[in-house]
Amino acid sequence: VTTNAAAVAKAVGALEKGAAGAFLQTSAASTLRALVKSKDMMEADREEIMAFLSGGDGYAPISGEVIGILKQMGDEMKADISEMKTTE
């Protein structure tokens, strides 16, 4: 879970800095791709993120949708990690 949360955080940071192309070449992008494929989420959100990850024409960098989706995923993972720590 922490690896996935780190991948999401790296993606958000790269997008906010305008360095999406560099991020797409990292292992964190591969981790994020696998996470998005397996995560229970809205199909429209999955398609938006997968378009970004594929670097295809379906992703418009001007829209903040991907950043918003990824931030929400990151927040959910942080909450899960926090809950796991308090349960231990």
Side-chain angles (χ1 to χ4, degrees):
V1 175
T2 54
T3 302
N4 292 341
V8 169
K10 287 178 184 177
V12 169
L15 284 167
E16 288 178 336
K17 292 177 186 170
F23 171 76
L24 294 175
Q25 304 302 315
T26 67
S27 62
S30 298
T31 300
L32 183 58
R33 189 175 290 110
L35 172 65
V36 170
K37 285 181 181 178
S38 65
K39 186 163 176 58
D40 180 23
M41 61 190 306
M42 291 177 46
E43 192 59 32
D45 290 350
R46 183 184 330 277
E47 290 172 5
E48 184 78 22
I49 295 174
M50 293 306 286
F52 156 67
L53 291 171
S54 69
D57 295 334
Y59 174 67
I62 317 167
S63 80
E65 290 180 51
V66 170
I67 293 173
I69 294 166
L70 291 173
K71 282 184 175 182
Q72 181 180 1
M73 286 175 58
D75 291 346
E76 291 170 1
M77 283 187 247
K78 286 177 189 173
D80 291 345
I81 291 168
S82 178
E83 185 178 317
M84 288 188 315
K85 287 181 179 180
T86 56
T87 304
E88 292 177 355

Coordinates of all heavy atoms in Angstrom, one line a residue:
V1 N 0.8 -1.2 0.0 CA 0.0 0.0 0.0 C 0.9 1.3 0.0 O 0.6 2.2 -0.7 CB -1.0 0.0 1.2 CG1 -1.8 1.3 1.3 CG2 -1.9 -1.2 1.2
T2 N 2.0 1.2 0.8 CA 2.8 2.4 0.8 C 3.5 2.7 -0.5 O 3.7 3.8 -0.9 CB 3.9 2.3 1.9 OG1 4.6 1.1 1.8 CG2 3.2 2.4 3.3
T3 N 3.8 1.6 -1.3 CA 4.4 1.7 -2.6 C 3.5 2.4 -3.5 O 3.8 3.3 -4.3 CB 4.9 0.4 -3.2 OG1 5.8 -0.2 -2.3 CG2 5.5 0.5 -4.5
N4 N 2.2 2.0 -3.5 CA 1.1 2.6 -4.3 C 0.9 4.0 -4.0 O 0.8 4.9 -4.9 CB -0.2 1.8 -4.2 CG -0.1 0.4 -4.7 OD1 0.8 0.1 -5.5 ND2 -1.0 -0.4 -4.3
A5 N 0.9 4.3 -2.7 CA 0.7 5.7 -2.2 C 1.9 6.6 -2.7 O 1.7 7.7 -3.1 CB 0.6 5.8 -0.7
A6 N 3.1 6.1 -2.7 CA 4.3 6.8 -3.1 C 4.2 7.1 -4.6 O 4.5 8.1 -5.1 CB 5.5 6.0 -2.8
A7 N 3.7 6.1 -5.4 CA 3.6 6.2 -6.8 C 2.5 7.3 -7.2 O 2.8 8.1 -8.1 CB 3.2 4.9 -7.5
V8 N 1.5 7.3 -6.4 CA 0.4 8.4 -6.6 C 1.0 9.7 -6.3 O 0.8 10.7 -7.1 CB -0.8 8.1 -5.8 CG1 -1.8 9.2 -5.8 CG2 -1.5 6.8 -6.3
A9 N 1.7 9.8 -5.2 CA 2.3 11.1 -4.8 C 3.3 11.6 -5.9 O 3.3 12.8 -6.2 CB 3.0 11.0 -3.5
K10 N 4.1 10.7 -6.4 CA 5.1 11.1 -7.4 C 4.4 11.6 -8.7 O 4.8 12.5 -9.4 CB 6.0 9.9 -7.8 CG 7.0 9.6 -6.7 CD 7.9 8.4 -7.0 CE 8.8 8.1 -5.9 NZ 9.6 6.9 -6.2
A11 N 3.3 10.9 -9.1 CA 2.5 11.3 -10.2 C 1.9 12.7 -10.1 O 2.0 13.6 -11.0 CB 1.4 10.3 -10.5
V12 N 1.3 13.0 -8.9 CA 0.8 14.3 -8.6 C 1.8 15.4 -8.7 O 1.7 16.4 -9.3 CB 0.0 14.3 -7.3 CG1 -0.4 15.7 -6.9 CG2 -1.2 13.4 -7.3
G13 N 3.0 15.1 -8.0 CA 4.1 16.0 -8.0 C 4.6 16.3 -9.4 O 4.8 17.5 -9.8
A14 N 4.7 15.3 -10.3 CA 5.2 15.5 -11.6 C 4.2 16.3 -12.5 O 4.6 17.2 -13.2 CB 5.4 14.1 -12.3
L15 N 2.9 16.0 -12.3 CA 1.9 16.7 -13.1 C 1.8 18.2 -12.6 O 1.7 19.1 -13.5 CB 0.5 16.1 -12.8 CG 0.3 14.8 -13.6 CD1 -0.9 14.1 -13.1 CD2 0.2 15.1 -15.1
E16 N 1.9 18.4 -11.4 CA 1.9 19.8 -10.9 C 3.1 20.6 -11.3 O 3.0 21.8 -11.5 CB 1.7 19.8 -9.4 CG 0.4 19.4 -8.9 CD 0.2 19.3 -7.4 OE1 1.2 19.2 -6.6 OE2 -0.9 19.4 -6.9
K17 N 4.2 19.9 -11.6 CA 5.4 20.6 -12.0 C 5.5 20.7 -13.6 O 6.4 21.2 -14.1 CB 6.7 19.9 -11.5 CG 6.8 20.0 -10.0 CD 8.0 19.3 -9.6 CE 8.1 19.3 -8.0 NZ 9.2 18.3 -7.6
G18 N 4.5 20.0 -14.2 CA 4.6 20.0 -15.7 C 5.6 19.0 -16.2 O 6.0 19.1 -17.4
A19 N 5.9 18.0 -15.4 CA 6.9 17.0 -15.8 C 6.3 15.7 -16.1 O 6.9 14.6 -15.7 CB 8.0 16.9 -14.8
A20 N 5.1 15.6 -16.6 CA 4.4 14.4 -16.8 C 5.2 13.4 -17.7 O 5.3 12.2 -17.4 CB 3.0 14.6 -17.4
G21 N 5.8 13.9 -18.8 CA 6.6 13.1 -19.7 C 7.7 12.3 -19.0 O 7.9 11.1 -19.2
A22 N 8.4 13.0 -18.1 CA 9.5 12.4 -17.3 C 8.9 11.3 -16.4 O 9.5 10.3 -16.2 CB 10.3 13.4 -16.5
F23 N 7.8 11.6 -15.7 CA 7.2 10.7 -14.8 C 6.8 9.4 -15.5 O 7.0 8.3 -15.0 CB 5.9 11.3 -14.2 CG 5.1 10.3 -13.4 CD1 5.6 9.8 -12.1 CD2 4.0 9.7 -13.9 CE1 4.9 8.8 -11.4 CE2 3.3 8.7 -13.2 CZ 3.7 8.3 -12.0
L24 N 6.3 9.5 -16.7 CA 5.8 8.3 -17.5 C 6.9 7.3 -17.7 O 6.7 6.2 -18.0 CB 5.2 8.7 -18.8 CG 3.9 9.6 -18.7 CD1 3.4 10.0 -20.0 CD2 2.8 8.7 -18.0
Q25 N 8.2 7.7 -17.6 CA 9.3 6.9 -17.9 C 9.8 6.2 -16.6 O 10.8 5.4 -16.6 CB 10.5 7.7 -18.5 CG 10.2 8.4 -19.7 CD 9.7 7.5 -20.8 OE1 10.2 6.5 -21.1 NE2 8.6 7.9 -21.5
T26 N 9.2 6.4 -15.5 CA 9.6 5.9 -14.2 C 8.9 4.6 -13.8 O 7.9 4.2 -14.3 CB 9.4 6.9 -13.0 OG1 8.0 7.0 -12.8 CG2 10.0 8.2 -13.4
S27 N 9.5 3.9 -12.8 CA 8.9 2.7 -12.3 C 7.6 3.0 -11.5 O 6.7 2.2 -11.5 CB 9.9 1.9 -11.4 OG 10.2 2.7 -10.3
A28 N 7.5 4.2 -11.0 CA 6.3 4.7 -10.3 C 5.1 4.7 -11.3 O 4.0 4.4 -10.9 CB 6.5 6.0 -9.6
A29 N 5.4 5.1 -12.5 CA 4.3 5.1 -13.5 C 3.8 3.6 -13.7 O 2.6 3.4 -13.9 CB 4.8 5.7 -14.8
S30 N 4.7 2.7 -13.8 CA 4.3 1.3 -13.9 C 3.5 0.8 -12.7 O 2.5 0.1 -12.9 CB 5.5 0.4 -14.1 OG 6.2 0.7 -15.3
T31 N 3.9 1.2 -11.6 CA 3.2 0.8 -10.3 C 1.8 1.5 -10.4 O 0.8 0.8 -10.1 CB 4.0 1.3 -9.1 OG1 5.2 0.7 -9.1 CG2 3.2 1.0 -7.8
L32 N 1.7 2.7 -10.8 CA 0.4 3.4 -10.8 C -0.5 2.7 -11.9 O -1.7 2.6 -11.6 CB 0.6 4.9 -11.2 CG -0.6 5.7 -11.2 CD1 -1.4 5.7 -9.9 CD2 -0.2 7.2 -11.5
R33 N 0.1 2.4 -13.0 CA -0.7 1.7 -14.1 C -1.3 0.4 -13.5 O -2.5 0.2 -13.7 CB 0.2 1.4 -15.3 CG -0.5 0.9 -16.5 CD 0.4 0.8 -17.7 NE 0.9 2.1 -18.2 CZ 2.1 2.6 -18.1 NH1 3.1 1.9 -17.5 NH2 2.4 3.8 -18.5
A34 N -0.5 -0.4 -12.8 CA -1.1 -1.7 -12.3 C -2.1 -1.4 -11.2 O -3.1 -2.1 -11.2 CB 0.1 -2.5 -11.7
L35 N -1.9 -0.4 -10.4 CA -2.9 0.0 -9.4 C -4.2 0.4 -10.0 O -5.3 0.0 -9.6 CB -2.3 1.2 -8.5 CG -3.3 1.8 -7.5 CD1 -3.7 0.8 -6.4 CD2 -2.7 3.0 -6.9
V36 N -4.1 1.3 -11.0 CA -5.4 1.8 -11.6 C -6.1 0.6 -12.3 O -7.4 0.6 -12.3 CB -5.0 2.9 -12.6 CG1 -6.2 3.3 -13.5 CG2 -4.5 4.1 -11.9
K37 N -5.4 -0.3 -12.9 CA -6.1 -1.4 -13.5 C -6.9 -2.3 -12.5 O -7.9 -2.8 -12.8 CB -5.1 -2.3 -14.3 CG -4.6 -1.7 -15.5 CD -3.6 -2.6 -16.2 CE -3.1 -2.0 -17.5 NZ -2.1 -2.9 -18.1
S38 N -6.3 -2.4 -11.3 CA -6.9 -3.3 -10.3 C -7.8 -2.6 -9.3 O -8.6 -3.3 -8.6 CB -5.8 -4.1 -9.6 OG -5.1 -3.2 -8.8
K39 N -7.8 -1.3 -9.2 CA -8.5 -0.5 -8.2 C -10.0 -0.5 -8.5 O -10.4 -0.3 -9.6 CB -7.9 0.9 -8.0 CG -8.5 1.7 -6.9 CD -7.7 2.8 -6.5 CE -8.3 3.7 -5.5 NZ -8.6 3.0 -4.2
D40 N -10.8 -0.6 -7.5 CA -12.2 -0.4 -7.6 C -12.5 1.1 -7.7 O -12.4 1.8 -6.7 CB -13.0 -1.0 -6.4 CG -14.5 -0.8 -6.5 OD1 -15.0 -0.7 -7.6 OD2 -15.1 -0.8 -5.4
M41 N -12.8 1.6 -8.9 CA -13.0 3.0 -9.1 C -14.0 3.2 -10.3 O -14.3 2.3 -11.0 CB -11.7 3.7 -9.4 CG -10.9 3.2 -10.6 SD -9.2 3.8 -10.8 CE -9.4 5.6 -10.7
M42 N -14.4 4.4 -10.5 CA -15.3 4.7 -11.6 C -14.6 4.5 -12.9 O -13.4 4.9 -13.0 CB -15.8 6.2 -11.5 CG -16.7 6.5 -10.4 SD -17.2 8.2 -10.2 CE -17.6 8.7 -11.9
E43 N -15.2 3.9 -13.9 CA -14.6 3.6 -15.1 C -14.1 4.8 -15.9 O -13.1 4.8 -16.5 CB -15.6 2.8 -16.0 CG -14.9 2.2 -17.2 CD -13.8 1.2 -16.9 OE1 -13.8 0.5 -15.9 OE2 -12.9 1.2 -17.7
A44 N -14.9 5.9 -15.8 CA -14.5 7.2 -16.4 C -13.1 7.7 -15.8 O -12.3 8.2 -16.6 CB -15.5 8.3 -16.3
D45 N -13.0 7.6 -14.5 CA -11.7 8.0 -13.9 C -10.6 7.1 -14.3 O -9.5 7.6 -14.6 CB -11.9 7.9 -12.3 CG -12.8 9.0 -11.8 OD1 -13.2 9.9 -12.5 OD2 -13.1 8.9 -10.6
R46 N -10.8 5.8 -14.4 CA -9.8 4.8 -14.8 C -9.4 5.2 -16.2 O -8.2 5.2 -16.5 CB -10.4 3.4 -14.8 CG -9.4 2.3 -15.2 CD -9.9 0.9 -15.2 NE -11.0 0.6 -14.3 CZ -10.9 0.3 -13.0 NH1 -9.7 0.2 -12.5 NH2 -11.9 0.1 -12.3
E47 N -10.3 5.4 -17.1 CA -10.0 5.7 -18.5 C -9.2 7.0 -18.6 O -8.2 7.1 -19.4 CB -11.3 5.9 -19.3 CG -11.9 4.5 -19.6 CD -13.3 4.6 -20.2 OE1 -13.7 5.7 -20.6 OE2 -14.0 3.6 -20.4
E48 N -9.5 8.0 -17.8 CA -8.8 9.3 -17.8 C -7.3 9.1 -17.4 O -6.4 9.6 -18.0 CB -9.5 10.3 -16.9 CG -8.9 11.7 -16.9 CD -9.3 12.5 -18.1 OE1 -10.3 12.2 -18.7 OE2 -8.5 13.5 -18.4
I49 N -7.1 8.3 -16.3 CA -5.8 8.1 -15.8 C -5.0 7.2 -16.8 O -3.8 7.5 -17.1 CB -5.8 7.5 -14.4 CG1 -6.4 8.5 -13.4 CG2 -4.4 7.1 -14.0 CD1 -6.6 8.0 -12.0
M50 N -5.6 6.2 -17.4 CA -5.0 5.3 -18.3 C -4.6 6.1 -19.6 O -3.5 5.9 -20.2 CB -5.8 4.1 -18.6 CG -6.0 3.2 -17.4 SD -4.5 2.6 -16.7 CE -3.9 1.5 -17.9
A51 N -5.4 7.1 -20.0 CA -5.1 7.9 -21.1 C -3.8 8.7 -20.8 O -2.9 8.8 -21.7 CB -6.2 8.8 -21.5
F52 N -3.8 9.3 -19.6 CA -2.6 10.0 -19.2 C -1.3 9.1 -19.2 O -0.3 9.4 -19.7 CB -2.8 10.6 -17.8 CG -1.5 10.9 -17.1 CD1 -0.6 11.8 -17.5 CD2 -1.2 10.2 -15.9 CE1 0.6 12.1 -16.8 CE2 0.0 10.4 -15.2 CZ 0.9 11.3 -15.7
L53 N -1.5 7.9 -18.6 CA -0.4 7.0 -18.5 C 0.1 6.4 -19.8 O 1.3 6.1 -20.0 CB -0.7 5.8 -17.5 CG -0.9 6.2 -16.1 CD1 -1.4 5.0 -15.3 CD2 0.5 6.6 -15.5
S54 N -0.8 6.3 -20.8 CA -0.4 5.8 -22.1 C 0.2 7.0 -22.9 O 0.8 6.7 -24.0 CB -1.6 5.2 -22.8 OG -2.5 6.2 -23.2
G55 N 0.1 8.2 -22.5 CA 0.7 9.3 -23.2 C -0.1 9.6 -24.5 O 0.4 10.3 -25.3
G56 N -1.3 9.0 -24.6 CA -2.1 9.2 -25.8 C -2.8 10.5 -25.9 O -2.7 11.4 -25.0
D57 N -3.5 10.7 -27.0 CA -4.2 11.9 -27.3 C -5.4 12.1 -26.4 O -5.9 13.2 -26.3 CB -4.7 11.9 -28.7 CG -3.5 11.9 -29.7 OD1 -2.4 12.4 -29.3 OD2 -3.7 11.4 -30.8
G58 N -5.8 11.1 -25.6 CA -7.0 11.2 -24.8 C -6.8 12.0 -23.6 O -7.7 12.4 -22.8
Y59 N -5.5 12.4 -23.3 CA -5.2 13.2 -22.1 C -4.9 14.6 -22.5 O -4.1 14.9 -23.3 CB -4.0 12.6 -21.4 CG -3.5 13.5 -20.2 CD1 -4.3 13.6 -19.1 CD2 -2.4 14.2 -20.3 CE1 -4.0 14.4 -18.0 CE2 -2.0 15.0 -19.2 CZ -2.8 15.1 -18.1 OH -2.5 16.0 -17.1
A60 N -5.7 15.5 -21.8 CA -5.5 17.0 -22.1 C -4.8 17.5 -20.8 O -5.5 17.6 -19.8 CB -6.8 17.6 -22.3
P61 N -3.5 17.9 -20.9 CA -2.8 18.4 -19.7 C -3.5 19.6 -19.0 O -3.3 19.8 -17.9 CB -1.4 18.8 -20.2 CG -1.3 18.2 -21.6 CD -2.7 17.9 -22.0
I62 N -4.3 20.4 -19.8 CA -4.9 21.6 -19.2 C -5.9 21.2 -18.2 O -6.1 21.9 -17.2 CB -5.5 22.4 -20.3 CG1 -4.6 22.5 -21.5 CG2 -5.8 23.8 -19.8 CD1 -5.2 23.1 -22.8
S63 N -6.6 20.1 -18.4 CA -7.6 19.7 -17.4 C -7.0 19.2 -16.2 O -6.0 18.4 -16.3 CB -8.6 18.6 -18.0 OG -8.0 17.4 -18.0
G64 N -7.5 19.6 -15.0 CA -6.9 19.1 -13.8 C -7.5 17.8 -13.3 O -7.3 17.4 -12.2
E65 N -8.3 17.2 -14.2 CA -9.0 16.0 -13.7 C -8.1 14.9 -13.2 O -8.4 14.3 -12.2 CB -9.9 15.4 -14.9 CG -11.0 16.3 -15.2 CD -11.9 15.7 -16.4 OE1 -12.2 14.5 -16.3 OE2 -12.1 16.4 -17.3
V66 N -7.0 14.6 -13.9 CA -6.1 13.5 -13.5 C -5.5 13.8 -12.1 O -5.5 13.0 -11.3 CB -5.1 13.2 -14.6 CG1 -4.0 12.3 -14.0 CG2 -5.7 12.7 -15.8
I67 N -5.1 15.1 -12.0 CA -4.5 15.5 -10.7 C -5.6 15.3 -9.6 O -5.2 14.7 -8.5 CB -4.0 16.9 -10.7 CG1 -2.8 17.0 -11.6 CG2 -3.6 17.4 -9.3 CD1 -2.3 18.5 -11.9
G68 N -6.8 15.7 -9.8 CA -7.8 15.6 -8.8 C -8.1 14.1 -8.5 O -8.2 13.7 -7.3
I69 N -8.2 13.3 -9.5 CA -8.4 11.8 -9.3 C -7.3 11.2 -8.5 O -7.5 10.5 -7.5 CB -8.6 11.1 -10.6 CG1 -9.9 11.6 -11.3 CG2 -8.7 9.6 -10.4 CD1 -10.0 11.2 -12.8
L70 N -6.1 11.5 -8.9 CA -4.9 11.0 -8.2 C -4.8 11.5 -6.7 O -4.5 10.7 -5.8 CB -3.6 11.3 -8.9 CG -3.5 10.6 -10.3 CD1 -2.2 11.1 -11.0 CD2 -3.4 9.1 -10.1
K71 N -5.1 12.7 -6.5 CA -5.1 13.3 -5.1 C -6.1 12.5 -4.3 O -5.8 12.2 -3.1 CB -5.4 14.8 -5.1 CG -4.2 15.6 -5.5 CD -4.4 17.1 -5.4 CE -3.2 17.9 -5.7 NZ -3.4 19.3 -5.5
Q72 N -7.3 12.3 -4.8 CA -8.3 11.5 -4.1 C -7.9 10.1 -3.8 O -8.0 9.6 -2.7 CB -9.6 11.5 -4.9 CG -10.7 10.8 -4.2 CD -12.0 10.8 -5.0 OE1 -12.1 11.3 -6.1 NE2 -13.1 10.2 -4.4
M73 N -7.3 9.5 -4.8 CA -6.7 8.1 -4.5 C -5.7 8.2 -3.4 O -5.6 7.3 -2.6 CB -6.1 7.6 -5.8 CG -7.1 7.1 -6.9 SD -6.3 6.6 -8.4 CE -5.3 5.3 -7.9
G74 N -4.8 9.1 -3.5 CA -3.7 9.3 -2.5 C -4.3 9.5 -1.1 O -3.8 8.9 -0.1
D75 N -5.3 10.3 -1.0 CA -5.9 10.6 0.3 C -6.5 9.3 0.9 O -6.4 9.0 2.1 CB -7.0 11.7 0.2 CG -6.4 13.1 -0.1 OD1 -5.2 13.2 0.1 OD2 -7.2 14.0 -0.5
E76 N -7.2 8.5 0.0 CA -7.8 7.3 0.4 C -6.7 6.3 0.9 O -6.9 5.6 1.9 CB -8.6 6.7 -0.7 CG -9.9 7.4 -1.0 CD -10.6 7.0 -2.3 OE1 -10.1 6.0 -3.0 OE2 -11.6 7.6 -2.7
M77 N -5.6 6.2 0.2 CA -4.5 5.3 0.6 C -3.9 5.8 1.9 O -3.6 4.9 2.8 CB -3.5 5.2 -0.5 CG -3.9 4.4 -1.6 SD -2.6 4.1 -2.8 CE -3.3 5.0 -4.2
K78 N -3.7 7.1 2.1 CA -3.2 7.6 3.4 C -4.1 7.2 4.5 O -3.6 6.8 5.6 CB -3.0 9.1 3.3 CG -1.8 9.5 2.4 CD -1.7 11.0 2.4 CE -0.7 11.5 1.3 NZ -0.7 12.9 1.2
A79 N -5.4 7.3 4.3 CA -6.3 7.0 5.4 C -6.3 5.5 5.7 O -6.3 5.1 6.8 CB -7.8 7.4 4.9
D80 N -6.1 4.7 4.6 CA -6.0 3.2 4.8 C -4.7 2.9 5.6 O -4.8 2.0 6.5 CB -6.0 2.5 3.5 CG -7.3 2.5 2.7 OD1 -8.4 2.9 3.4 OD2 -7.4 2.2 1.5
I81 N -3.6 3.5 5.2 CA -2.4 3.3 5.9 C -2.5 3.7 7.4 O -2.1 3.0 8.3 CB -1.2 4.0 5.2 CG1 -0.9 3.4 3.9 CG2 0.0 4.0 6.1 CD1 0.0 4.2 3.0
S82 N -3.1 4.8 7.6 CA -3.3 5.3 9.0 C -4.1 4.4 9.8 O -3.8 4.0 11.0 CB -3.9 6.7 9.0 OG -4.1 7.2 10.3
E83 N -5.2 3.9 9.2 CA -6.1 2.9 9.8 C -5.3 1.6 10.2 O -5.5 1.0 11.2 CB -7.3 2.6 9.0 CG -8.3 1.8 9.6 CD -9.6 1.6 8.7 OE1 -10.0 2.5 8.1 OE2 -10.0 0.4 8.6
M84 N -4.5 1.1 9.2 CA -3.8 -0.1 9.5 C -2.8 0.1 10.6 O -2.6 -0.8 11.4 CB -3.0 -0.5 8.2 CG -3.9 -1.0 7.1 SD -3.1 -1.8 5.7 CE -1.8 -0.6 5.3
K85 N -2.2 1.3 10.7 CA -1.2 1.5 11.8 C -1.9 1.5 13.2 O -1.3 1.1 14.1 CB -0.5 2.8 11.6 CG 0.6 2.7 10.5 CD 1.3 4.0 10.3 CE 2.3 3.8 9.1 NZ 3.1 5.1 8.9
T86 N -3.1 2.1 13.2 CA -3.8 2.2 14.5 C -4.4 0.8 14.9 O -4.5 0.6 16.1 CB -4.9 3.2 14.5 OG1 -5.8 3.0 13.4 CG2 -4.4 4.6 14.3
T87 N -4.6 0.0 13.9 CA -5.2 -1.3 14.2 C -4.1 -2.3 14.7 O -4.4 -3.1 15.5 CB -5.8 -2.0 12.9 OG1 -6.7 -1.1 12.4 CG2 -6.4 -3.3 13.2
E88 N -2.8 -2.0 14.4 CA -1.7 -2.9 14.8 C -1.5 -2.7 16.3 O -1.4 -2.5 17.2 CB -0.4 -2.5 14.1 CG -0.5 -2.9 12.6 CD 0.8 -2.5 11.9 OE1 1.6 -1.8 12.5 OE2 0.9 -2.8 10.7

